[in-house]
Amino acid sequence: MSSQPPQGARLTLVRLLARARLLGAGLSGGEAVVGHHNRNLILPVGGPLARLLGLESGQVPAKFRVPLRTVEVVPRLWPESAVLSAVGERLDDVPRCLADFGSWSLHDYVPGRVLAEETPKGPVGDVRLAAFADFFARLVSVPADALPTPPADWPRSPDTTAFLCRLARFAEERVHLANRPRFGALFDRVGIPHDAVERFLTTPRALLPRPFCLLHTDVHRGNVVVDRTPLGERLSVVDWELALYGDPLHDLATHLVRMDYDDTERRVLTDLWADSLTAAGHARMTAGLDRDLGAYLDFEYVQSLFPDVMRAALALPDEPADGDFRQGAERVHRALRRAWGPLGRTDEPIGEQQAEAALRAWHADHGPGAGSRPPSHPDTATSPGPPAPGPAPAPRGAVRRTAAGAGA
């Protein structure tokens, strides 16, 4: 007879033990990894929880994953646990979701060092470029019938034009317009055109049809873990909550932009991506690469304007020093420079001094001194996020933030 309790009682016990472990983090220590969307606390699971989860020891580390109240900047199609369940059966280098409690979850801990810490910028090297291309080839090979069902109104394969328009509509309605009450004056002061994203909806963009597939959409240096084994270096991609079903060129474009490759590595990765997908039997997914990739790159630069500017403002502390404003202005100016060409502008974006003045004005109007509630995290905004599982004391271990990007 099995010693495991019935399924419903087992999940209740797992939740109670995991919550107790999380709340006890202040006594036991641990490492907190904070990204744009989640706060992850890495702790040994403990003996009782390990037995319920079928783990070999209570010393096995796990990632206690708590969503943050955050600016909504990209569509969310499925629960992360559902994506990991489908992907984990076919890719051996992604974490498992050990338990999903709805408002928070418990995941495998992937050992290694985050690429953002090991190589925060600059070239990553040919070996890693080849590894990324291989990852995308394996990702698109996950069969559609193994994935959760998309919403009924989601664009249908292979209508890539409808897919790009769906992304643009989300960016316009849920990112730009939804945040204008709080950030509209800042958007205007830094010179973002009112129709920055809307043009993707009004300008005909007839993309070539390509079969849809699973997309991660957020493969950047902060979401890649490097582990060195006796057989060589191993790259694992984490944080799957932004996975989508759509045009594979979108995944390639977000990767190219958020990795911030130089021109040489961008060309090499693009060629390796096409070769890897073709070798895996997915040549149709590379159709129109030279023609259509530019549309997705333009979109990525333009839609990123809004979250980059909002995050620069919200990252300001309650009482910013001059250096805080300068750092935020650098981030805003960089976002403007990257988007200016795709916006079709022939003039120059505002300079860093003007961006700094805009941030100072926003903070004077919307910062804690103006009566608004101080943000608890640099991505806190008006959009409510999932509730946390209860107040967890800050661990005595290290706290680190992942690199810039939409995920984590």
Side-chain angles (χ1 to χ4, degrees):
M1 179 178 296
S2 172
S3 61
Q4 289 284 346
Q7 185 62 28
R10 176 182 172 277
L11 183 59
T12 299
L13 282 173
V14 168
R15 179 196 290 268
L16 289 173
L17 289 169
R19 180 183 171 86
R21 198 79 181 96
L22 181 62
L23 294 176
L27 299 176
S28 59
E31 181 185 18
V33 183
V34 181
H36 287 317
H37 301 281
N38 298 281
R39 180 177 185 270
N40 303 292
L41 189 61
I42 300 164
L43 291 169
V45 294
L49 188 54
R51 286 190 289 273
L52 283 171
L53 294 173
L55 302 176
E56 61 185 30
S57 156
Q59 294 304 309
V60 173
K63 186 165 64 173
F64 295 72
R65 191 164 172 79
V66 182
L68 296 164
R69 296 183 181 274
T70 179
V71 171
E72 186 179 35
V73 297
V74 289
R76 293 179 183 242
L77 199 58
W78 302 303
E80 185 178 20
S81 58
V83 177
L84 289 175
S85 177
V87 174
E89 296 179 2
R90 294 161 179 85
L91 279 69
D92 61 358
D93 51 358
V94 300
R96 292 178 300 159
C97 179
L98 301 173
D100 185 355
F101 308 121
S103 60
W104 62 293
S105 54
L106 187 63
H107 291 232
D108 269 341
Y109 169 67
V110 179
R113 191 177 183 196
V114 179
L115 182 59
E117 297 174 349
E118 185 163 295
T119 311
K121 59 183 178 180
V124 300
D126 291 344
V127 173
R128 288 175 180 167
L129 293 176
F132 281 128
D134 175 69
F135 165 79
F136 285 115
R138 290 183 290 118
L139 180 62
V140 304
S141 298
V142 176
D145 59 8
L147 302 174
T149 303
D153 63 346
W154 192 253
R156 301 293 183 91
S157 178
D159 193 347
T160 52
T161 300
F163 175 73
L164 178 55
C165 286
R166 177 64 175 255
L167 297 178
R169 188 176 302 110
F170 181 93
E172 175 64 10
E173 296 174 359
R174 302 286 292 276
V175 183
H176 174 208
L177 296 180
N179 286 289
R180 281 205 71 86
R182 188 178 184 188
F183 295 96
L186 179 58
F187 295 156
D188 295 341
R189 285 188 182 110
V190 300
I192 300 177
H194 278 255
D195 63 348
V197 176
E198 187 180 354
R199 70 192 188 92
F200 283 89
L201 298 171
T202 58
T203 303
R205 289 174 176 268
L207 305 179
L208 288 179
R210 278 173 292 275
F212 284 13
C213 61
L214 175 63
L215 315 176
H216 183 283
T217 80
D218 203 25
V219 183
H220 61 78
R221 298 176 196 236
N223 282 343
V224 176
V225 177
V226 181
D227 186 26
R228 288 185 170 81
T229 72
L231 299 178
E233 187 176 88
R234 173 188 174 97
L235 300 184
S236 297
V237 177
V238 299
D239 293 0
W240 290 74
E241 71 266 33
L242 305 183
L244 295 178
Y245 181 66
D247 188 348
L249 284 192
H250 175 56
D251 223 4
L252 174 61
T254 59
H255 176 68
L256 292 174
V257 170
R258 295 174 192 177
M259 286 292 293
D260 199 22
Y261 290 124
D262 61 25
D263 290 343
T264 298
E265 289 208 328
R266 175 177 288 203
R267 287 192 297 269
V268 171
L269 188 280
T270 301
D271 290 342
L272 288 172
W273 178 90
D275 291 345
S276 295
L277 264 64
T278 300
H282 303 292
R284 291 175 57 210
M285 293 185 181
T286 71
L289 172 62
D290 293 337
R291 168 186 149 172
D292 291 346
L293 179 60
Y296 281 105
L297 292 172
D298 285 353
F299 173 73
E300 181 63 19
Y301 286 129
V302 171
Q303 71 86 21
S304 293
L305 274 173
F306 299 104
D308 283 349
V309 170
M310 289 188 288
R311 286 169 176 162
L314 291 167
L316 295 170
D318 293 358
E319 298 181 3
D322 289 345
D324 297 315
F325 284 115
R326 282 196 298 271
Q327 186 176 12
E330 290 171 1
R331 182 173 186 173
V332 170
H333 182 60
R334 181 172 186 268
L336 290 169
R337 283 191 291 103
R338 298 200 310 176
W340 224 236
L343 284 170
R345 302 295 294 263
T346 57
D347 57 346
E348 289 293 323
I350 65 169
E352 290 185 17
Q353 288 186 338
Q354 292 167 289
E356 182 178 334
L359 288 172
R360 288 180 182 274
W362 181 88
H363 192 268
D365 291 339
H366 296 276
S372 58
R373 182 174 63 85
S376 59
H377 177 264
D379 273 336
T380 302
T382 54
S383 302
R396 292 186 293 188
V399 177
R400 58 185 171 89
R401 291 190 178 275
T402 58

